[in-house]
């Protein structure tokens, strides 16, 4: 079982509206995704050294509640789609220790080489692909993303 | 006719992948949207002083090409949906002076008061709402956003 | 005794030079300073609610070693100067669990009210001032800051 | 004569204090410094392609006035120290079109190669060094930086 990613909100992440600026959520998602990958044995600094680069193709954010300095969150993420050349991660951000959802998001990513050319991960790094596929979570497709 | 928003990429917006970090695109969109609003006579600092706050509800980003320090972009944006309580903006980011599209995006926003309670803009600020509505652009709904 | 502030480097904090962008260090210092204040019973969100605002007056950064994604740091900070209207914090950033110093810094701050007018903290909030003064660390002034 | 660097403040650069977060000033300085270098024929993306990397060694910021969204600034910068292996830039940030100083700063930089090893710029790239030296501005050393 994956441990959620825990995070406190930093003061510098707030804006004049007194709440977290919306651009920071994609940074929290990146932190959670890379932490999930470490937990799966897919540490991104190691993948980069192997020549596997994973840029973002799409980013979808749904802002449900605002947050501010002093707040604490848990991010639950899971791989919901996987092909040999790309994958999708879904995120749920909860107020720490509660079932109050603050944000949900999805990101899609490509596997590319260091020249940003598409890479068939299954073919070139079957062991890495296997770890991704073992952690693919089947979801019902009744969500409006 | 609205003037597109012109922007050079800053060095500090790049990351270890040698390209602009994906979280910065929503900042470029904000710059372009607020510039559009200035052009429409809807300067956001004035709206805030009137008590109209416009948080982001949804953000959808489609990353088509990467960019890096030294690049220059033009962002074309338009209001594509409007109700008395919310609106949606669509963005197309082009390499400066070309028809090479680098990114497209959509953001949805609520009108709220300083306590983040929903506000009926048409009712409370009919003149402001009128400016929004005069600049609503009808689009065919054949896009997959 | 104060606990140092522990932090992992985020991917989005790196730049094209493959290392952490220098502007992020002042954000790490803020995180460490606000964490120190929580430990001292001076939680900054509580101070703000009391009307005590603490802007930065000066910031001095000395970059000794570079860092990148995957690195982990401990930040040790202490209050080295205090008057009724301002204070100074010194920071030492170490590679986690080692005595390898990566960065050192100092920040100076004013106590002001919500209109940014100078506030005599000792006079207006003697209990808060007392907590600051009890944690003032005498240093020999042989440092070149 | 060098043209100052002109900049409008972005909304996302403000924080809960309603003003620009202090960490952003070093980003404005970087923008101004790289713009100055373009004006001097020392475009940083070209230098990087030549293998010349210019990290920050020291950063000193003096915050005089606060700024917020809607403000516009001009940054005047000049090279005030130069040796074959490093240089220092001084910055004055003025409210646009006025003589109201908002901020002053200094940054020191090393010339290094792509492995971050010190580089003698005068020896390896005498033409580049010459451009730096032709733009060195003599200052009286009565400043307290």
């Amino acid at each position: 079982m994956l441990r959620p990613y825990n995070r406190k909100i930093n003061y510098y992440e707030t804006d004049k509206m007194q709440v977290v600026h919306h651009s920071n959520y994609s940074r929290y998602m990146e932190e959670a995704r890379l932490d999930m990958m470490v937990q799966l044995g897919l540490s991104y600094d190691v993948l980069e050294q192997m020549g596997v680069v994973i840029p973002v193709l799409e980013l979808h954010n749904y802002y449900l509640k605002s947050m501010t300095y002093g707040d604490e969150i848990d991010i639950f993420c899971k791989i919901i789609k996987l092909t040999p050349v790309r994958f999708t991660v879904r995120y749920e951000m909860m107020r720490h220790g509660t079932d109050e959802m603050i944000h949900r998001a999805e990101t899609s990513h490509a596997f590319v080489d260091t020249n940003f050319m598409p890479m068939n991960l299954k073919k070139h790094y079957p062991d890495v692909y296997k770890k991704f596929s073992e952690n693919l979570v089947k979801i019902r497709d009744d969500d409006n993303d």
Side-chain angles (χ1 to χ4, degrees), chain A residues 5-136:
Chain A
Y5 181 72
N6 179 260
R7 176 66 148 82
K8 284 179 184 155
I9 300 304
N10 293 317
Y11 193 88
Y12 59 79
E13 292 163 343
T14 60
D15 69 11
K16 206 167 165 287
M17 247 181 236
Q18 313 273 7
V19 297
V20 171
H21 189 269
H22 67 276
S23 62
N24 291 310
Y25 288 69
S26 59
R27 299 183 172 193
Y28 303 160
M29 301 305 144
E30 179 181 283
E31 292 179 38
R33 179 175 67 252
L34 295 183
D35 180 68
M36 172 186 74
M37 289 173 64
V38 169
Q39 292 185 59
L40 301 182
L42 294 164
S43 192
Y44 189 51
D45 48 350
V46 176
L47 290 181
E48 276 197 333
Q49 284 159 21
M50 292 164 59
V52 181
V53 177
I54 306 183
V56 176
L57 296 180
E58 290 188 20
L59 170 65
H60 301 281
N61 281 304
Y62 301 86
Y63 301 86
L64 309 177
K65 305 273 177 77
S66 63
M67 295 187 287
T68 193
Y69 173 65
D71 285 341
E72 185 173 352
I73 53 174
D74 299 317
I75 304 177
F76 296 79
C77 52
K78 55 192 174 195
I79 301 166
I80 62 163
K81 288 180 204 160
L82 177 70
T83 75
V85 295
R86 60 184 284 182
F87 70 105
T88 299
V89 179
R90 180 171 292 178
Y91 310 81
E92 293 181 337
M93 187 190 291
M94 316 299 287
R95 192 175 297 281
H96 175 60
T98 76
D99 57 0
E100 180 188 356
M101 194 182 297
I102 290 179
H103 187 79
R104 64 191 183 81
E106 272 189 37
T107 55
S108 295
H109 304 264
F111 302 114
V112 302
D113 65 21
T114 52
N115 296 317
F116 275 68
M117 297 304 291
M119 173 191 286
N120 185 316
L121 189 72
K122 190 176 186 179
K123 184 173 158 191
H124 287 89
Y125 293 99
D127 292 351
V128 173
Y129 183 78
K130 190 159 173 278
K131 283 187 186 166
F132 274 99
S133 66
E134 287 169 355
N135 290 283
L136 176 63

